[in-house]
Amino acid sequence: MRSGGRMASHEAAEVVRKPAQNGQARAADRRMLINGQLVDASAVFASLNPSTGEILGYAPDADVDDAQAAIAAARRAFDNTTWATDVEFRVHCLEQLHAALVEHRDELGDLTIAEVGATPALLAGPQLDDPIRIVRYYADLLKTYPMTEDIGNVESRGQLHHRWVEKEAAGVVAAIIAYNYPNQLALAKVAPALAAGCTVVLKGAPDTPLITLALGELIANHTDIPAGVVNVISSADPAVGPVLTASPDVDVVTFTGSTPTGRAIMAAGSATVKRVFLELGGKSAMIMLDDLDDEAIASCALMAAFTIVTHAGQGCALTTRLLVPNSRKDEIVKQVAGNLAHVRHGDPANPTTYMGPLISEQQRNKVHGIVQRAVEAGATLVTGGEKLDPGFFYAPTLLTDVDPDSEIAQEEIFGPVLVVIGYEDDDDAVRIANNSIYGLAGGVFGDEDRALAIARRIRAGSLSINGGNYFGAESPFGGYKQSGIGREMGVAGLEEFQEHKTFATVVPGGQA
């Protein structure tokens, strides 16, 4: 994301023009969905298997004309059909989509393992099964969610006036996602947007286009969603993203990716004053309080180690800074390092593998460069700090003696790298945790009342107390500060895609 991790929507993909093969252009392995039709583009680009570095397949390389066609289709579907007003039909289509995702779960899972580098354990959670549940959640929510709110009567100018609020779809949505959890990011945007009555243009990440295109094919082949309501494109052309974000026919932009790219999208959207929702970077802190006993410290040290290697550290909300009491720092560092030594990496399809690869050689080089600079600046490399072959693997890495203001303590790395920072007291721990441009998530471990009090002082969107799991379809997710604007999932996630229209009428005979 960002200065550090999830790459911007136009970064890091290998563009391969369609070579001639027996007089025919190189075909894409998946097709885009535009205006209800599954279509190719004039060129393709390669998607790599990150565990081997080999080409997995080819995706259509949409150009500006393709993007404009997708926007036009979404605009027509919103303006000229009953999609935005037919709640019952939207429920029906979301239920169809959920059923299709469940039916094709294994196919989607195999592709997610191969293209994303996800492990089967992650498929059972945020890489696939949790995102599928998001679709079910919004289908169910839509059955009971009130689209009208009565706000009562008011006396004005000698008469009684009745007022109410109706919730309408915000319009055409451009949804641009990152590579790290493509199913989660796509469905957390598409499902609530559809539930709200919006139409969508979804752009997959250049590093993981095939799995997002597969979602589009399911929509085309297994649902009654009308032509143009959902359009799915893939592209490695850096000109395509700005078309989506600046188009006057797009009413809402929802983006997950780097903070620098998020800033650019805000600027692009300002020309048409469109609604912009951003889920950006994180540099979350896990705080271990000094009231933990030996058993609790061992448990926290295990959690800290295995959290940072989840999906090879490619998660915006992962706790990448471990804040520990100075009095016990050496002991905790030793335990975390011992745990990291037992992390099994390798083929993500192997059920015994815990950590898969980074997404690309470019990302691995970036991670390695940050680690090397940290050591040069005075940090102590406890373990890791090396590339592992074949594929794009990086050794689980632990650093201590880290300056809280240094690059490695401030920048999002998006790799399996954990830094340990000592603190003196609770106030010092809170100060260090808040010493970041980000504010996405965090965790506090200790006496529950004390831990909760400290968590309430941390400026972040989601906090775990003693390992509590805050993430789920019902839970709004998003950040403070430069971690983004708005919330995904939950009721708040639906309302990101709604406009609120207030009505008033004079009450007959209702004189004041």
Side-chain angles (χ1 to χ4, degrees):
M1 296 178 345
R2 343 58 132 97
S3 15
R6 278 179 284 184
M7 283 167 267
S9 59
H10 61 278
E11 294 176 335
E14 177 191 353
V15 179
V16 179
R17 294 297 166 188
K18 290 183 176 181
Q21 294 183 346
N22 299 323
Q24 300 296 320
R26 175 64 169 88
D29 293 275
R30 297 278 179 176
R31 290 181 293 171
M32 302 185 294
L33 175 61
I34 299 179
N35 197 32
Q37 301 296 314
L38 293 172
V39 300
D40 291 314
S42 60
V44 299
F45 65 98
S47 177
L48 304 184
N49 180 326
S51 65
T52 65
E54 298 175 351
I55 291 176
L56 176 66
Y58 290 87
D61 190 14
D63 59 20
V64 167
D65 289 341
D66 295 319
Q68 290 174 337
I71 294 169
R75 185 80 262 168
R76 289 192 300 271
F78 185 80
D79 293 340
N80 300 326
T81 75
T82 61
W83 177 258
T85 56
D86 193 338
V87 175
E88 184 176 349
F89 182 57
R90 298 204 301 270
V91 170
H92 164 74
C93 289
L94 284 169
E95 289 180 335
Q96 284 184 321
L97 176 56
H98 177 261
L101 290 166
V102 171
E103 181 182 354
H104 293 270
R105 191 267 184 194
D106 290 344
E107 171 192 340
L108 295 171
D110 289 344
L111 183 53
T112 303
I113 289 172
E115 186 176 45
V116 184
T119 62
L122 284 175
L123 293 184
Q127 283 288 6
L128 187 55
D129 289 351
D130 287 351
I132 290 173
R133 282 191 281 270
I134 291 173
V135 180
R136 177 78 266 169
Y137 168 78
Y138 281 109
D140 291 341
L141 176 65
L142 200 52
K143 297 173 185 177
T144 59
Y145 181 82
M147 292 294 180
T148 301
E149 177 186 359
D150 192 298
I151 56 176
N153 297 336
V154 64
E155 294 181 5
S156 177
R157 302 186 300 276
Q159 291 182 304
L160 197 62
H161 303 258
H162 182 66
R163 302 163 302 159
W164 70 97
V165 176
E166 294 184 5
K167 301 168 188 178
E168 297 182 352
V172 174
V173 175
I176 306 172
I177 64 172
Y179 68 77
N180 56 332
Y181 287 86
N183 298 310
Q184 166 69 32
L185 300 178
L187 294 175
K189 298 177 188 302
V190 171
L194 295 181
C198 296
T199 59
V200 180
V201 178
L202 171 65
K203 180 181 179 294
D207 288 292
T208 54
L210 301 179
I211 185 61
T212 304
L213 294 171
L215 296 177
E217 291 180 0
L218 284 184
I219 290 170
N221 294 326
H222 298 279
T223 76
D224 295 326
I225 294 175
V229 169
V230 178
N231 305 271
V232 183
I233 65 174
S234 56
S235 179
D237 183 347
V240 167
V243 171
L244 298 177
T245 58
S247 171
D249 285 328
V250 171
D251 302 292
V252 181
V253 175
T254 172
F255 169 75
T256 298
S258 75
T259 293
T261 303
R263 296 184 191 117
I265 287 173
M266 286 189 71
S270 68
T272 51
V273 198
K274 63 173 87 282
R275 183 177 298 191
V276 176
F277 165 63
L278 304 171
E279 199 275 280
L280 306 175
K283 194 68 181 177
S284 302
M286 175 190 290
I287 301 175
M288 295 173 62
L289 299 180
D290 59 11
D291 56 26
L292 294 172
D293 59 25
D294 290 346
E295 182 179 353
I297 283 179
S299 176
C300 289
L302 183 66
M303 180 175 292
F306 282 87
T307 295
I308 199 60
V309 297
T310 299
H311 197 30
Q314 298 169 114
C316 54
L318 299 180
T319 45
T320 56
R321 294 181 294 159
L322 178 60
L323 277 51
V324 303
N326 280 323
S327 60
R328 306 198 71 172
K329 185 174 73 170
D330 291 346
E331 168 194 354
I332 293 170
V333 167
K334 183 178 180 180
Q335 291 192 46
V336 174
N339 292 326
L340 289 176
H342 290 93
V343 173
R344 185 188 298 271
H345 76 277
D347 178 6
N350 187 328
T352 67
T353 296
Y354 190 87
M355 189 186 81
L358 294 173
I359 193 63
S360 66
E361 183 64 18
Q362 177 179 335
Q363 179 62 14
R364 184 167 70 165
N365 287 338
K366 185 189 78 66
V367 171
H368 191 53
I370 292 177
V371 171
Q372 288 182 312
R373 291 194 297 274
V375 174
E376 292 168 0
T380 299
L381 179 62
V382 180
T383 187
E386 60 182 334
K387 300 178 182 180
L388 305 172
D389 296 319
F392 307 133
F393 294 89
Y394 196 75
T397 299
L398 179 66
L399 298 110
T400 188
D401 304 320
V402 171
D403 182 342
D405 295 322
S406 65
E407 177 191 31
I408 202 160
Q410 291 291 321
E411 296 294 334
E412 185 176 47
I413 300 171
F414 240 52
V417 180
L418 178 66
V419 300
V420 177
I421 302 173
Y423 68 86
E424 290 298 326
D425 55 24
D426 290 0
D427 289 342
D428 193 33
V430 170
R431 179 189 63 79
I432 295 171
N434 285 331
N435 177 28
S436 172
I437 66 169
Y438 302 116
L440 189 56
V444 187
F445 291 79
D447 172 79
E448 185 163 330
D449 290 341
R450 181 183 172 197
L452 181 58
I454 289 174
R456 286 183 169 134
R457 298 171 62 189
I458 297 173
R459 292 184 52 75
S462 299
L463 274 297
S464 171
I465 309 301
N466 291 324
N469 180 16
Y470 54 74
F471 200 78
E474 307 85 359
S475 304
F477 179 78
Y480 288 28
K481 299 187 281 186
Q482 293 189 42
S483 282
I485 298 172
R487 295 293 183 268
E488 285 187 335
M489 300 188 297
V491 174
L494 174 68
E495 293 176 345
E496 292 290 345
F497 298 103
Q498 291 180 327
E499 294 285 2
H500 289 61
K501 181 182 289 184
T502 302
F503 293 87
T505 184
V506 176
V507 178
Q511 294 187 354

